[in-house]
Amino acid sequence: MTVLLDSRAIQEILPHRYPFLLVDKIIELEPRTRIVGIKQVTINEYFFQGHFPDAPVMPGVLQIEALAQVGAILALREFADRDSKIPFFSGIEQARFRRPVVPGDTLTLEVTAIRIGTKVQKMRGEAKVDGQITAEAEIMSVIAERK
C-alpha cells in the first residue's frame, strides 16, 4: 500500500487535531475526483470508553466525520491559501450504517466528488472494512474563511 499523504501531511491540509483527526493516511488520490484514506481503529480510541465499554463500536457519526475529513482533504488541496480556510458540514443525505466497526478494524474511506466549488462541496462517501460497506452518505460542506 503506497502512502501518498501521511499524518503530518494531512495535518498540513486539515485543521483537525487529536482527538478529532479521524484519518491516518491517504493511499489514493485523483485531484478534484476521488480520494481514499485509511483510519486504523484501535481500542485506544477515546470514544470506546463510553461507546460501549463492554462491546466497543465506533459511532456511525464518527465514520461519517472521517469520510468528511477525507473529502475535505480532496477539496482543500485545491486552495493555494488553504491555511486561511476551514471546512464546515452543511448537510448529510442518504446516510446508512451497514455493519459495526470495532477495535482492530482498518477503515477504508473512499470519497468521490459530485461537486467541488470554491465555496460549496458535495461528495459521496463509503466507509469499508474488508471490502464491506460500514457506512455511506452524501456529504455537503462549505469552505469558509478562518477568523
Side-chain angles (χ1 to χ4, degrees):
M1 174 184 323
T2 302
V3 176
L4 300 178
L5 298 173
D6 63 13
S7 62
R8 287 186 181 234
I10 289 168
Q11 290 179 63
E12 290 177 11
I13 298 170
L14 288 182
H16 305 76
R17 295 295 179 266
Y18 176 84
F20 217 69
L21 181 60
L22 298 174
V23 58
D24 297 323
K25 58 189 164 190
I26 299 299
I27 59 168
E28 294 180 34
L29 176 63
E30 297 171 41
R32 301 187 57 84
T33 304
R34 183 178 161 274
I35 188 168
V36 179
I38 299 291
K39 166 68 176 153
Q40 295 297 145
V41 181
T42 73
I43 192 62
N44 298 322
E45 308 291 347
Y46 71 92
F47 46 80
F48 287 141
Q49 293 176 36
H51 198 270
F52 302 97
D54 294 330
V57 175
M58 182 178 188
V61 295
L62 292 182
Q63 294 177 56
I64 300 296
E65 173 64 26
L67 287 167
Q69 289 180 18
V70 170
I73 293 167
L74 182 65
L76 287 171
R77 287 185 72 260
E78 300 302 316
F79 292 88
D81 62 343
R82 66 178 163 248
D83 291 342
S84 67
K85 307 291 185 192
I86 189 166
F88 290 114
F89 255 130
S90 60
I92 302 169
E93 294 178 349
Q94 300 177 10
R96 297 288 181 265
F97 304 98
R98 306 287 182 194
R99 83 181 257 315
V101 175
V102 299
D105 283 344
T106 298
L107 192 61
T108 302
L109 305 155
E110 183 174 352
V111 178
T112 304
I114 296 171
R115 179 184 192 281
I116 291 187
T118 57
K119 296 249 187 258
V120 178
Q121 323 296 315
K122 184 171 185 178
M123 301 185 190
R124 172 96 187 131
E126 289 184 348
K128 298 178 183 177
V129 171
D130 296 329
Q132 295 181 339
I133 295 174
T134 63
E136 59 188 323
E138 286 186 3
I139 302 162
M140 284 72 64
S141 65
V142 174
I143 304 295
E145 293 293 325
R146 284 194 209 191
K147 296 191 180 180

